[in-house]
Amino acid sequence: MKLDVIKLDGGKAGSVELSEDLFGLEPRADILHRVVRWQRNNAQAGTHKTKTRSETSYSTKKIYRQKGTGGARHGDRNAPIFRGGGIYKGPVVRSHGHELPKKFRKLGLRHALSAKAKAGELVVIEDAASEGKTSALAKQVKNLGWKRALVIDGAEANQDFLKAARNIEGLDILPTMGANVYDILKRDTLVITKAGIEALEARLK
């Protein structure tokens, strides 16, 4: 498939031929869901923790005699049924991450790129270069109509462009190796440089 290439000032810069294997697939929600779930689970801290009955701060002394009270038989106040007692089978510190084959992760990235292309939310720019001035870049972004955009550059993002984009709300920049399904799908517009296209094709071939 062929797509027009534009400059940051809105001018035309020719066209580029996009690989059907990367941008021409029929997006599958089940594949995208599995990859996003894998990403979010790996990002989860897993630091949740409750105290068990051995960790609460009450005395362990038997609270009253075993027989003759007419009440239930209890040992100490740390039992889960008492207020302030330990929690039974509460969450513990653990990793929420799980494995996902590398081939499947690559497939998910292809489907995410194809989903943006099919929805008409893919823009190819000549390069992501800037003088480092936030005001100038913000004006260009506004004129292009990008509200929530992700820019994917080549192997390394342009440092002046990164500096200029740092304070622009809704604009994020990633190098090719940082491109991922979750970040692509949650933005309204996916912007890829010509260098980024070549690097993505090399990464996902």
Side-chain angles (χ1 to χ4, degrees), residues 1-8 11-18 23 117 121-128 144 146 151-152 189-198:
M1 61 184 293
K2 187 171 281 191
L3 203 67
D4 291 335
V5 180
I6 64 170
K7 298 177 183 178
L8 281 172
K12 292 187 177 180
S15 61
V16 65
E17 189 70 36
L18 300 178
F23 298 94
E121 297 171 350
L122 175 65
V123 177
V124 180
I125 59 173
E126 190 172 31
D127 55 31
L144 289 167
W146 301 344
V151 180
I152 297 177
T189 307
L190 174 62
V191 183
I192 311 179
T193 64
K194 289 177 74 175
I197 295 284
E198 294 172 6

Side-chain angles (χ1 to χ4, degrees), residues 1-204:
M1 61 184 293
K2 187 171 281 191
L3 203 67
D4 291 335
V5 180
I6 64 170
K7 298 177 183 178
L8 281 172
D9 60 8
K12 292 187 177 180
S15 61
V16 65
E17 189 70 36
L18 300 178
S19 169
E20 290 290 333
D21 292 336
L22 266 65
F23 298 94
L25 301 176
E26 186 63 35
R28 279 181 51 182
D30 59 326
I31 292 176
L32 295 173
H33 174 265
R34 277 188 64 185
V35 179
V36 169
R37 183 170 167 270
W38 168 78
Q39 274 189 250
R40 301 314 296 155
N41 281 7
N42 281 340
Q44 199 167 337
T47 52
H48 39 29
K49 173 76 171 73
T50 56
K51 289 183 177 181
T52 63
R53 65 183 297 170
S54 65
E55 296 169 321
T56 47
S57 60
Y58 281 112
S59 168
T60 57
K61 180 184 176 182
K62 189 170 176 66
I63 56 177
Y64 49 71
R65 67 182 189 271
Q66 179 80 347
K67 291 178 178 289
T69 64
R73 298 167 290 185
H74 289 297
D76 64 72
R77 296 283 295 184
N78 294 298
I81 66 167
F82 291 118
R83 183 177 182 275
I87 303 297
Y88 176 64
K89 287 192 175 178
V92 294
V93 176
R94 68 182 180 91
S95 169
H96 290 267
H98 60 269
E99 294 297 321
L100 194 66
K102 190 180 287 186
K103 284 185 178 179
F104 200 93
R105 288 180 295 194
K106 283 187 174 182
L107 181 63
L109 195 48
R110 290 195 195 103
H111 277 263
L113 295 170
S114 296
K116 286 296 179 186
K118 186 175 182 181
E121 297 171 350
L122 175 65
V123 177
V124 180
I125 59 173
E126 190 172 31
D127 55 31
S130 172
E131 297 175 357
K133 295 291 184 181
T134 300
S135 56
L137 182 59
K139 189 175 181 181
Q140 290 175 329
V141 168
K142 185 178 180 181
N143 290 338
L144 289 167
W146 301 344
K147 291 183 179 178
R148 295 175 70 247
L150 171 67
V151 180
I152 297 177
D153 208 344
E156 288 186 14
N158 182 287
Q159 291 303 310
D160 288 334
F161 190 83
L162 278 173
K163 184 180 176 183
R166 199 161 46 194
N167 278 341
I168 300 177
E169 187 180 359
L171 185 64
D172 291 298
I173 297 93
L174 289 174
T176 309
M177 288 309 295
N180 62 86
V181 174
Y182 178 70
D183 281 327
I184 289 172
L185 293 180
K186 78 174 186 177
R187 267 52 173 218
D188 295 333
T189 307
L190 174 62
V191 183
I192 311 179
T193 64
K194 289 177 74 175
I197 295 284
E198 294 172 6
L200 279 173
E201 288 177 349
R203 175 184 169 188
L204 299 174

